[in-house]
Amino acid sequence: MTATTGPRVATAAPRLIYRRPELLAEDSTHYCPGCGHGVVHRLVAEVLGELGLGPRTIAVAGVGCAVFAYDYLRLDFCEAPHGRAPAVATGIRRVRPDAFVLTYQGDGDMAAIGTAEIVHAAARGELITAIFVNNGVYGMTGGQMAPTTLLGQKTTSTPGGREAALHGYPLPITEMLALLPGVAYAARGSVVDPGAIGKTKAYLRKACEVQLAGAGFAIVEVISTCPVGWGMTPRESIDWLRDAVAEVYPPGVVVDRTKTVPVAPAPAAAGSEG
Amino acid sequence: MTRRVLMNGNEAIAEAAIAAGCDAYFGYPITPQAELLEWMARRMPELGRAFVQAESELGAISMALGAAATGARVLVSSSSPGISLMAEGMSYLAGSELPLVLVNVMRGGPGLGSIQPSQSDYFQATKGHGHGDYRVPVLAPSSIAEAIELVPTAFEIAERYRTPVMVLADGIMGQAMEPVEPHFRTLPPCAPDWALTGARGRPPRVVRSLHLRAEDLEAHNRDLQAKFRAIEAAETRWAEEGLTDAEVAIVAYGTAARVARTAMARARQAGMSVGLFRPISLWPFPAAALRDLAPRLRAILVVELSAGQMVEDVRLAVEGRAPVLFHGRTGGMVPTPDEVVEALRRAFLVNQPAGEPSFDPETDPLGLICAMGGRR
């Protein structure tokens, strides 16, 4: 700090505490207020930027609200038919061994119509980093039940709440995939608060490093909010995410078979989400 | 003299694709095209190229979509029930304007049907497999030598117009062995300027079929339709045999054309002047050529391994300029040349002067009486 004479005024040097990652487009997103996709997009942009992967990434967008990820992430993108993102990514991976391949799917996409594709891409140990945003409903089509919907949760297709006898049980995709030896890394993050967002970023970074090291398939599930689909305010949806969703889908590392791939410490949080 | 070798159609198609520079193959086992997948399973890794046996035909066509989006030259193959599953991906490939060659070695249907040869997927192949306003060029070889010739052509059309192309064969074409001169054509590598390669030093690219604004999607559809008109103008293919003096023309493609050729020879020996009009591109259908031919003919006989599918396009093409008869067998049965000769005899009895013995095709529009003839 420089010494001052005369009246004291605030002279703190400007310090950059928040800026848009280069891989994030300047447009504001179409996502509803309180939706978690914007936070996850930002984390993806930060991690890829920090690892210098933007110029070699080919990303695959699933079907659902986040199909428009390609409008916000400045990356080469391929659309996949509903559920098929891991197969599309497999095709890309097999002919572009030098590319960094990323999929971005929601829970309707991955956990229902796309179960065969995700299971077999994982079983083959494809060198793909899969991002799985789980908000427990089909958001784009109006908040119907997804395989991940919690028991008792009301949706537009379970108006009385999800009942196990009628609708089956919530599907823990990440735990199921973690059983497969082709899966090098599986973790579940959350967008519930800044601390959880920081951890989620570390999981994403590790899941990218796993691919770079050629260790196998990596998946990061992110439990997220859908206030409109849940019939809640954004504030209520954060509470529900913390109190109800995280109980069924607890955040943390689910499996890590990469003893040789160290998790780089996440850089000091540059974000101000929260 | 070139050495001739015995190859079955599945293997010949696979080897023709490899010679044409196919970078990646994705498939799923199904009879009667399994030999094609097995051939690729051995050959592609030998050459350092991509091969994946997918979890399903949905997976295979989606893998193909991903590889094609990066500018790779991609081959996919299946048979009828598998093509139904691939219909989803074909619609996306058409909408995203991605090149691809898909081989369909047809078997009998509907449903699980049989594993015997059939041509009952003509409608599916030519009228669009999946949803949306789109067309896919369909090339139908009628010999293994012709299949070897058409595979590189299919890749050329796919890349020139950024469209999936189907090579339509059947179980006989796929599994029968024929002596061929192995002249496999090579193609220069492709490096399209739209391919996904990672956005290094350029703005990002997006391969997509989604256009939520109606105005945008209509503009996209207009572009697609303009492309389809260009394909119709430049890529219509057919072959003519013995039509110069023919009173009756057989219209047949693929395996049915092989049977028709034998029937034509027998009919000519019996004094009937018969020719063969063989569509090679089923879409675009050689309608104009057939329309021009029709007024010179006493009748047209369409022969198919189906209950009558291409015959609809023939009728649309000739617009009543000649009577159109049909003879077909279904379920994996193949018409014999003698059956076709019998159908030809009826064709010569159409529109006879009053008092002469005649045949009214209206009494048997699908030729099923012919098909069952002598068996009841």
Side-chain angles (χ1 to χ4, degrees):
Chain A
M1 286 292 127
T2 49
T4 56
T5 56
R8 291 181 64 84
V9 291
T11 57
R15 188 167 61 92
L16 185 69
I17 57 166
Y18 183 88
R19 70 184 167 90
R20 183 178 55 82
E22 273 181 32
L23 293 176
L24 202 59
E26 289 183 41
D27 315 280
S28 57
T29 72
H30 72 290
Y31 299 119
C32 307
C35 169
H37 275 306
V39 174
V40 182
H41 283 10
R42 185 187 168 90
L43 294 181
V44 171
E46 286 181 3
V47 167
L48 294 182
E50 287 159 16
L51 294 172
L53 291 173
R56 50 186 279 219
T57 296
I58 303 176
V60 183
V63 171
C65 296
V67 65
F68 293 113
Y70 50 62
D71 284 343
Y72 313 125
L73 290 167
R74 298 181 43 75
L75 301 168
D76 270 13
F77 251 101
C78 187
E79 260 177 24
H82 200 19
R84 321 286 174 236
V88 171
T90 297
I92 295 170
R93 162 54 64 214
R94 296 301 184 102
V95 294
R96 289 266 167 196
D98 51 335
F100 183 82
V101 184
L102 187 83
T103 59
Y104 193 112
Q105 293 183 271
D107 48 315
D109 198 52
M110 183 188 283
I113 195 168
T115 43
E117 286 75 17
I118 190 65
V119 166
H120 289 279
R124 290 189 300 265
E126 297 288 346
L127 297 179
I128 293 167
T129 300
I131 297 167
F132 169 38
V133 179
N134 174 4
N135 62 16
V137 285
Y138 286 83
M140 199 182 216
T141 46
Q144 295 84 7
M145 179 188 73
T148 44
T149 297
L150 304 187
L151 288 178
Q153 186 177 346
K154 287 186 179 174
T155 70
T156 51
S157 58
T158 53
R162 181 175 188 171
E163 284 179 53
L166 273 179
H167 313 109
Y169 294 90
L171 196 67
I173 281 281
T174 304
E175 280 82 355
M176 289 162 58
L177 294 180
L179 296 171
L180 305 172
V183 177
Y185 183 74
R188 181 184 291 117
S190 165
V191 296
V192 73
D193 58 34
I197 290 167
K199 279 186 192 163
T200 302
K201 181 173 174 183
Y203 299 151
L204 286 170
R205 189 182 168 103
K206 168 83 181 191
C208 292
E209 288 167 343
V210 162
Q211 180 181 154
L212 293 173
F217 182 88
I219 178 167
V220 177
E221 173 178 346
V222 184
I223 52 170
S224 185
T225 47
C226 183
V228 172
W230 295 353
M232 296 179 186
T233 65
R235 175 72 246 180
E236 289 165 349
S237 77
I238 288 288
D239 293 339
W240 172 265
L241 183 64
R242 178 188 298 108
D243 301 335
V245 179
E247 193 167 311
V248 178
Y249 302 106
V253 175
V254 182
V255 76
D256 185 352
R257 295 189 174 89
T258 66
K259 301 298 176 215
T260 55
V261 186
V263 178
S272 67
E273 295 93 344
Chain B
M1 202 179 137
T2 317
R3 200 169 56 91
R4 281 158 51 102
V5 296
L6 264 181
M7 291 191 95
N8 80 29
N10 285 324
E11 294 164 357
I13 287 170
E15 205 50 44
I18 287 169
C22 169
D23 297 305
Y25 171 89
F26 305 98
Y28 182 84
I30 183 169
T31 309
Q33 65 83 56
E35 297 88 354
L36 209 166
L37 173 129
E38 290 168 0
W39 188 273
M40 288 306 218
R42 185 170 61 77
R43 289 282 284 140
M44 293 297 270
E46 269 175 17
L47 297 165
R49 305 185 196 174
F51 167 90
V52 182
Q53 178 176 326
E55 58 272 16
S56 68
E57 287 90 350
L58 288 165
I61 195 77
S62 300
M63 289 174 193
L65 186 155
T70 74
R73 195 169 277 156
V74 185
L75 183 80
V76 171
S77 66
S78 189
S79 177
S80 308
I83 300 294
S84 294
L85 287 181
M86 289 185 176
E88 174 189 82
M90 289 295 274
S91 172
Y92 282 76
L93 282 150
S96 310
E97 298 193 80
L98 293 175
L100 169 96
V101 174
L102 168 60
V103 180
N104 180 4
V105 185
M106 286 182 284
R107 58 188 251 184
L112 211 44
S114 76
I115 57 172
Q116 308 299 325
S118 173
Q119 294 181 326
S120 53
D121 302 337
Y122 177 94
F123 285 154
Q124 184 192 46
T126 60
K127 311 294 178 188
H129 336 82
H131 58 284
D133 260 337
Y134 74 95
R135 292 291 199 167
V136 164
V138 180
L139 300 178
S142 91
S143 69
I144 294 174
E146 190 176 38
I148 290 172
E149 212 178 287
L150 286 178
V151 167
T153 304
F155 279 114
E156 285 171 331
I157 294 173
E159 287 162 23
R160 187 175 308 137
Y161 300 97
R162 290 185 60 180
T163 177
V165 174
M166 184 183 279
V167 173
L168 191 66
D170 59 62
I172 291 180
M173 284 284 309
Q175 298 196 315
M177 296 189 92
E178 285 190 80
V180 292
E181 291 182 8
H183 291 311
F184 294 107
R185 194 148 64 90
T186 58
L187 301 180
C190 55
D193 60 7
W194 47 261
L196 304 181
T197 55
R200 188 186 305 280
R202 57 160 175 77
R205 294 172 181 162
V206 178
V207 167
R208 66 191 295 179
S209 61
L210 178 65
H211 304 272
L212 272 187
R213 292 179 64 243
E215 295 85 346
D216 295 347
L217 184 55
E218 186 173 54
H220 178 55
N221 269 292
R222 258 200 306 268
D223 292 346
L224 288 177
Q225 292 303 320
K227 174 165 83 177
F228 300 146
R229 296 297 86 79
I231 294 173
E232 283 173 337
E235 306 295 346
T236 304
R237 290 169 165 77
W238 73 94
E240 299 182 359
E241 295 171 38
L243 283 174
T244 330
D245 64 338
E247 288 179 70
V248 170
I250 306 176
V251 182
Y253 70 96
T255 289
R258 304 285 289 271
V259 178
R261 189 176 292 121
T262 307
M264 178 175 83
R266 289 184 194 174
R268 279 184 172 270
Q269 279 170 3
M272 292 182 275
S273 52
V274 173
L276 173 64
F277 184 96
R278 180 168 69 85
I280 297 171
S281 60
L282 302 184
W283 188 86
F285 190 74
L290 202 50
R291 185 159 46 242
D292 293 346
L293 175 70
R296 296 199 269 120
L297 300 169
R298 185 196 285 250
I300 289 172
L301 173 68
V302 179
V303 179
E304 297 180 62
L305 276 65
S306 82
Q309 300 196 7
M310 182 178 71
V311 64
E312 293 192 1
D313 280 340
V314 173
R315 289 192 171 119
L316 281 171
V318 305
E319 290 176 334
R321 288 174 171 85
V324 177
L325 286 76
F326 175 75
H327 177 71
R329 300 294 299 267
T330 64
M333 297 300 291
V334 179
T336 64
D338 286 342
E339 278 173 35
V340 177
V341 170
E342 180 56 32
L344 283 167
R345 287 188 201 284
R346 291 167 188 249
F348 275 88
L349 294 178
V350 172
N351 289 345
Q352 287 284 86
E356 297 287 323
S358 72
F359 175 69
D360 177 5
E362 292 303 312
T363 60
D364 182 20
L366 288 180
L368 293 176
I369 296 170
C370 301
M372 301 299 176
R375 301 168 103 245
R376 285 187 170 170

